[in-house]
Amino acid sequence: MQKFRNWKEFINQVLIDSGQFENSTSELINQTEIETFKSTDQNSLTVIRVGYLKEGLLIYLQIFNPTVPGYNKYVEGEYFYQHDFSDDGKTYGNPALEFNERNRNGIISILEKGLKGKEVQFIKNGKVLKSKLYIAEFDSNFNYTYDFTKRNFWSKIFGQKIDKIGGIEKREIELNKIFNGIKNVLQQRV
């Protein structure tokens, strides 16, 4: 079994060895080092962004694709908490994950399973005006709604609903088509 010293070494090994992602680009924003991994599939627009804090903690692992703006908006503000993969009933805790076996296995699970759910888009003239994101496994009717128009607050509340505007095209995108997981994540579990 391989030994890893930190999150960066671990994530790089997993993504690059899978053959599905290529070497990352890196940038420093405030106190977060951000690595961006591009898909090796030339037809895929999916990228994975990983954020590391100075203390060696993993703050986020986000999957982006321009064809699902609602999902992208959802993950923008999402980050890990200390107890996200805890099985002792604790929730939340401090922001970010320590580099330990429990958390590594949690990240491996996310990467293996890929994305779940769907995004329903309302499009006019090739532009997504509204998106409904269904990702709650416990309730298939629960959704997050994102309005991408420039309408003001009152127009959004009292104006015509986007779904009712003439010429609107409705498109459903299964999120596992965007990222269905990594098939050969580290030949031996960590």
Side-chain angles (χ1 to χ4, degrees):
M1 176 164 64
Q2 294 178 299
K3 294 287 183 189
F4 299 98
R5 294 177 302 202
N6 55 44
W7 278 117
K8 186 173 182 176
E9 187 178 286
F10 175 74
I11 298 288
N12 273 269
Q13 187 82 34
V14 168
L15 294 178
I16 293 167
D17 280 4
S18 74
Q20 291 177 249
F21 290 89
E22 55 192 26
N23 290 338
S24 66
T25 58
S26 184
E27 63 182 314
L28 188 63
I29 298 180
N30 296 324
Q31 295 181 13
T32 305
E33 180 183 358
I34 301 165
E35 286 190 305
T36 303
F37 297 85
K38 290 184 181 179
S39 175
T40 55
D41 177 352
Q42 298 303 315
N43 296 319
S44 175
L45 301 173
T46 299
V47 298
I48 295 180
R49 292 186 193 139
V50 184
Y52 312 99
L53 298 180
K54 281 184 181 179
E55 302 81 25
L57 302 173
L58 180 67
I59 190 69
Y60 60 79
L61 186 145
Q62 301 169 332
I63 299 161
F64 287 93
N65 187 300
T67 61
V68 285
Y71 183 78
N72 292 344
K73 195 76 169 159
Y74 170 77
V75 298
E76 273 179 4
E78 289 292 305
Y79 55 90
F80 294 117
Y81 287 99
Q82 176 182 4
H83 300 295
D84 277 353
F85 300 112
S86 187
D87 55 4
D88 57 9
K90 293 181 181 178
T91 57
Y92 297 106
N94 294 326
L97 295 173
E98 293 177 9
F99 186 68
N100 60 40
E101 184 177 1
R102 181 188 70 228
N103 291 336
R104 286 191 303 268
N105 286 332
I107 295 301
I108 289 285
S109 179
I110 290 171
L111 291 172
E112 281 180 330
K113 291 177 184 174
L115 300 179
K116 304 283 185 244
K118 68 180 175 182
E119 181 169 325
V120 178
Q121 301 172 341
F122 299 88
I123 302 164
K124 185 160 186 170
N125 300 325
K127 184 175 180 190
V128 177
L129 301 180
K130 177 181 170 180
S131 173
K132 286 189 175 186
L133 185 62
Y134 297 87
I135 56 172
E137 293 179 37
F138 58 88
D139 183 355
S140 60
N141 292 319
F142 181 79
N143 68 75
Y144 296 92
T145 301
Y146 299 96
D147 185 327
F148 296 106
T149 65
K150 303 281 187 230
R151 301 180 305 160
N152 68 33
F153 174 77
W154 296 112
S155 294
K156 289 178 183 179
I157 298 294
F158 296 112
Q160 186 175 17
K161 302 294 180 208
I162 291 174
D163 336 26
K164 308 294 184 209
I165 295 174
I168 289 290
E169 173 192 343
K170 185 176 171 182
R171 179 183 345 169
E172 275 190 31
I173 299 175
E174 293 294 329
L175 295 176
N176 68 2
K177 301 259 192 258
I178 301 303
F179 179 67
N180 65 356
I182 292 176
K183 303 307 168 224
N184 54 344
V185 176
L186 296 178
Q187 298 306 320
Q188 297 179 9
R189 295 288 291 201
V190 292

